[in-house]
Amino acid sequence: MMLGSLRYGTTVGLILINAMVLATLATEEGIFTNHLLVQLHEGVHDEAHQLATEHGYHSARKLPFGEGLFHFYPLDTAPRRTKRSLHNRQRLEKDRRVKNVLDQEGFGRQKRGYRSINEIDIKMTDPLFSKQWYLINTGQADGTPGLDLNVAEAWDLGYTGTGITIAIMDDGRLKLCNHGIDYLHPDLASNYNAEASYDFSSNDPYPYPRYTDDWFNSHGTRCAGEVSAAANNNICGVGVAYNSKVAGIRMLDQPFMTDIIEASSISHMPQIIDIYSASWGPTDDGKTVDGPRELTLQAMADGVNKGRGGKGSIYVWASGDGGSYDDCNCDGYASSMWTISINSAINDGRTALYDESCSSTLASTFSNGRKRNPEAGVATTDLYGNCTLRHSGTSAAAPEAAGVFALALEANPDLTWRDMQHLSVLTSKRNQLHDDLHQWRRNGVGLEFNHLFGYGVLDAGGMVKMAKEWKTVPERFHCVAGSLQEVHKIQSGERLILTISTDSCQGKDNFVRYLEHVQAVVTVNGSRRGDLIINMTSPMGTKSILLSRRPRDDDAKVGFDKWPFMTTHTWGEDPRGTWILEVGFQGDKPQRGALKEWTLMLHGTQSAPYIDQIVRDYQSKLAMSKKEELEEELDEAVERSLKSLLSKN
């Protein structure tokens, strides 16, 4: 059943939502919970709580999205529906005040980055500051000097995150004062934003960490410390944005996730919270294909369109910890256009063994990795007033990015969610990041990128300098560039090659001339889904790896159903011309399959945000000479242009 008022209509993102909703998700069997989405008739909204209690529910909470929508909480915390709760639901549905009732199905979400480590010139009084190599890398723990977030330059310019609130969407491991029942972590207390915090697992404003003997619930506290740990208080270390406020949103500490809880968390106080940091997602087992459900998609769309007074909420997402066995383009959160997907590197510039690669990753920060030095992990706050050197995973990387974005927002509070993505593309640095498999390449307008690291490691100093004088990017448009609906067979030993030629909706109101995100909405299946590989090449010659081999994925039935594979690698390019899709199998055993649809969706601007001259020079020279003779000249021209742009900011 679909609630009529939840239709997204013609607002921005319709095509993406339809594609995601129609996607067939390879998840575990659904769990029907006692949580309900209830739509009430007009004029009875004030009776919601009374109605809930009358029908055997604990309470009702009005949802900030949609009309007349309420979340009905159960009296108990039983993970599955009981006969009694089914009877309550049936009585509720017959109540004259109720317009619609929608069951909330439980599904799996997994915390990212909680894993053990194998023993692994600014003056601050904090004892761990000298060990926070990701802030200032002087070669600690056998790292590479200079390979860091360059926060020292941003701090020296006076930007420390003042006035910015970051929400850690997690399991509620922020320790806070529950009216004197518990205590605050001493390194987070002064920066804790109680007003913006909430516990969606227990439906109360106190996201208290549930105690466990193994300290599993330390995840959120560690992430919070990376962002907002106070400076010069002789406790633990220093946050990237040490004067920012941090809020706790507890939403993962129950046996299941629901669309309501996820959507409510993502849309919580969007006029107070500036940045949402998420270090969770579908299971990183190398065989799951999953993403946000409809309510969460609508909440995210509302966030980027209405959050922060219309400038847009900023969603930072950890790309995933599935390593070479997984592909983050199979994660509908990390691969969303509305999120900034962040990967990680270790302190010598290599990839961590758990890093997932995909074409939707925008940039990178840092985490622990292969080194056995006990100080090579991420130093931050921990439970019960403690500190740790053992924070790890891409979950450590996402909060660092949130901290850098907080510095940029302080430098320019008018930045939109898209401005932050453009700034990430322009100011991230290759630095000394390297991977043996995926080499650095330049796209059609000369921007350097890597399949693992995106556009490089975030540079806080470079970002705040550019942010100070940044002009908001032009309006965004969406063009369906073409669609192939015929069935095309695929078999091992051969590559299926398809093309779509497009004018990018030229001459229409939705013409896209300068690319931001590109989506290939694909329906394909195979005798072994994990052996499928998909590449796409732009008219300007940039090849994106949309799907890599996933050796643990044995699916032979579901495949990908209208799944929106996304790439950021063609950022700034002219999309007009011929796009090439290449599909095949990679593996030891023969496989066969069929591609049933490829729809090409282009997202970007009609006027140039900043690189028009680079594109024009490149295209005119390309028309007059051979491409090979221009490679060296183009590299030099691009470097000069980008250096000039950076120096002006």
Side-chain angles (χ1 to χ4, degrees):
M1 180 178 70
M2 182 68 66
L3 297 183
S5 66
L6 295 184
R7 298 289 186 190
Y8 197 70
T10 57
T11 44
V12 172
L14 170 64
I15 298 172
L16 173 64
I17 286 183
N18 287 339
M20 295 290 281
V21 171
L22 290 172
T24 300
L25 306 175
T27 58
E28 63 271 26
E29 183 179 353
I31 302 171
F32 281 99
T33 73
N34 295 326
H35 294 254
L36 297 178
L37 172 65
V38 179
Q39 185 178 34
L40 301 183
H41 288 291
E42 292 184 11
V44 296
H45 295 180
D46 292 341
E47 302 177 35
H49 179 72
Q50 177 186 344
L51 179 65
T53 56
E54 285 177 6
H55 289 282
Y57 292 87
H58 181 264
S59 63
R61 185 178 64 84
K62 191 176 189 310
L63 301 179
F65 42 86
E67 289 297 326
L69 300 181
F70 292 85
H71 180 184
F72 275 40
Y73 282 83
L75 283 170
D76 55 45
T77 57
R80 294 177 183 270
R81 176 179 292 165
T82 62
K83 291 183 179 178
R84 185 180 198 178
S85 61
L86 180 60
H87 177 67
N88 290 342
R89 183 218 182 282
Q90 291 170 342
R91 285 198 306 116
L92 175 68
E93 195 170 27
K94 295 177 182 178
D95 194 294
R96 61 176 178 77
R97 294 165 287 183
V98 175
K99 186 175 182 180
N100 283 306
V101 178
L102 187 65
D103 296 300
Q104 286 296 292
E105 180 183 351
F107 46 83
R109 288 294 177 266
Q110 184 182 61
K111 305 164 195 174
R112 284 184 174 153
Y114 188 87
R115 57 186 68 224
S116 62
I117 300 174
N118 292 325
E119 289 305 317
I120 62 159
D121 290 318
I122 289 179
K123 303 295 182 182
M124 295 282 184
T125 63
D126 309 77
L128 290 190
F129 177 67
S130 63
K131 303 181 188 303
Q132 291 181 287
W133 53 266
Y134 58 94
L135 300 180
I136 301 176
N137 193 336
T138 59
Q140 308 99 307
D142 304 315
T144 300
L147 183 61
D148 53 45
L149 296 172
N150 191 26
V151 296
E153 183 176 17
W155 294 347
D156 190 54
L157 291 169
Y159 300 111
T160 58
T162 301
I164 308 302
T165 294
I166 303 101
I168 304 296
M169 296 189 296
D170 208 286
D171 47 16
R173 281 97 195 179
L174 280 176
K175 298 181 68 65
L176 49 141
C177 179
N178 188 351
H179 300 295
I181 297 174
D182 199 13
Y183 56 89
L184 298 162
H185 190 292
D187 210 18
L188 297 173
S190 61
N191 287 334
Y192 179 68
N193 188 331
E195 177 190 10
S197 299
Y198 199 81
D199 186 337
F200 288 98
S201 294
S202 301
N203 191 30
D204 62 57
Y206 309 109
Y208 183 80
R210 180 171 53 88
Y211 176 78
T212 60
D213 290 334
D214 60 1
W215 285 36
F216 184 67
N217 286 354
S218 61
H219 196 256
T221 300
R222 294 178 175 187
C223 292
E226 291 179 272
V227 178
S228 301
N232 290 313
N233 62 355
N234 297 299
I235 303 170
C236 293
V238 175
V240 173
Y242 56 79
N243 279 327
S244 64
K245 296 295 182 182
V246 64
I249 297 181
R250 182 170 178 252
M251 43 82 73
L252 279 177
D253 202 14
Q254 67 273 332
F256 51 80
M257 177 56 64
T258 68
D259 200 9
I260 282 186
I261 293 177
E262 228 169 59
S264 298
S265 303
I266 284 171
S267 61
H268 182 61
M269 291 200 172
Q271 307 311 323
I272 294 177
I273 295 171
D274 301 290
I275 303 167
Y276 298 80
S277 178
S279 296
W280 50 268
T283 305
D284 293 323
D285 57 6
K287 56 186 178 182
T288 297
V289 179
D290 199 0
R293 305 304 200 267
E294 185 168 358
L295 288 178
T296 301
L297 282 167
Q298 180 170 342
M300 293 177 81
D302 284 350
V304 297
N305 285 311
K306 302 173 185 177
R308 296 176 53 241
K311 295 185 288 290
S313 301
I314 296 166
Y315 298 111
V316 186
W317 227 274
S319 61
D321 287 344
S324 60
Y325 296 106
D326 212 342
D327 187 301
C328 40
N329 248 353
C330 295
D331 175 341
Y333 301 85
S335 65
S336 169
M337 299 183 297
W338 298 326
T339 67
I340 300 178
S341 181
I342 299 293
N343 209 340
S344 67
I346 65 175
N347 67 343
D348 63 4
R350 289 182 294 168
T351 56
L353 294 178
Y354 46 77
D355 281 340
E356 290 183 35
S357 62
C358 64
S359 57
S360 55
T361 296
L362 202 64
S364 298
T365 54
F366 297 101
S367 182
N368 77 308
R370 311 172 189 180
K371 291 190 174 290
R372 294 186 176 274
N373 190 312
E375 296 185 359
V378 172
T380 182
T381 51
D382 209 352
L383 283 178
Y384 318 125
N386 289 290
C387 316
T388 183
L389 297 174
R390 297 173 178 268
H391 193 32
S392 62
T394 53
S395 61
E400 292 171 20
V404 172
F405 298 151
L407 301 178
L409 279 184
E410 182 189 4
N412 184 349
D414 291 329
L415 294 175
T416 67
W417 68 279
R418 289 174 52 231
D419 289 333
M420 196 66 76
Q421 295 203 15
H422 281 268
L423 284 168
S424 298
V425 170
L426 275 183
T427 64
S428 294
K429 301 292 192 300
R430 174 176 178 174
N431 202 311
Q432 298 176 71
L433 302 182
H434 58 95
D435 178 72
D436 294 335
L437 178 61
H438 298 292
Q439 304 302 309
W440 287 88
R441 295 180 288 144
R442 291 191 185 275
N443 72 4
V445 293
L447 294 170
E448 195 172 31
F449 69 93
N450 182 281
H451 185 64
L452 262 164
F453 300 118
Y455 286 93
V457 64
L458 291 176
D459 183 317
M463 184 173 282
V464 298
K465 285 192 297 183
M466 186 172 286
K468 282 195 300 181
E469 299 178 9
W470 184 259
K471 295 180 181 179
T472 298
V473 292
E475 183 181 0
R476 190 168 186 249
F477 296 92
H478 313 268
C479 170
V480 180
S483 184
L484 301 179
Q485 304 286 340
E486 302 86 6
V487 176
H488 298 271
K489 293 184 178 180
I490 316 164
Q491 60 185 20
S492 295
E494 299 179 6
R495 293 291 175 93
L496 172 65
I497 298 178
L498 302 173
T499 62
I500 289 178
S501 295
T502 179
D503 62 1
S504 190
C505 300
Q506 188 169 3
K508 301 178 182 178
D509 291 341
N510 59 329
F511 171 47
V512 174
R513 168 62 180 82
Y514 298 92
L515 284 175
E516 291 175 1
H517 308 88
V518 176
Q519 291 174 302
V521 180
V522 173
T523 297
V524 62
N525 55 37
S527 52
R528 190 175 190 281
R529 183 172 63 183
D531 285 354
L532 277 169
I533 58 171
I534 305 175
N535 299 320
M536 186 170 67
T537 304
S538 73
M540 297 188 77
T542 302
K543 183 177 181 179
S544 296
I545 303 172
L546 298 184
L547 177 66
S548 302
R549 182 172 184 264
R550 301 201 305 163
R552 294 176 176 172
D553 186 356
D554 293 325
D555 171 77
K557 296 180 180 179
V558 178
F560 296 95
D561 186 3
K562 295 185 179 294
W563 189 258
F565 294 97
M566 195 267 279
T567 180
T568 62
H569 295 168
T570 55
W571 202 277
E573 290 190 2
D574 182 347
R576 292 173 294 183
T578 300
W579 291 77
I580 302 171
L581 190 75
E582 186 180 358
V583 187
F585 288 105
Q586 185 180 59
D588 299 330
K589 298 180 179 179
Q591 307 293 343
R592 56 187 173 81
L595 184 141
K596 300 176 182 178
E597 177 189 354
W598 168 35
T599 298
L600 180 64
M601 295 162 54
L602 310 173
H603 309 270
T605 62
Q606 294 178 359
S607 55
Y610 44 75
I611 55 177
D612 189 32
Q613 190 59 48
I614 299 176
V615 176
R616 191 160 50 240
D617 289 349
Y618 176 47
Q619 289 180 326
S620 63
K621 289 182 179 180
L622 189 61
M624 294 185 295
S625 183
K626 294 181 180 179
K627 183 176 179 180
E628 308 86 66
E629 298 173 356
L630 288 171
E631 292 292 345
E632 185 174 348
E633 184 179 350
L634 171 63
D635 287 348
E636 293 175 355
V638 168
E639 289 177 7
R640 286 197 304 272
S641 299
L642 292 178
K643 285 179 180 178
S644 174
L645 180 64
L646 289 169
S647 67
K648 291 177 182 177
N649 290 276

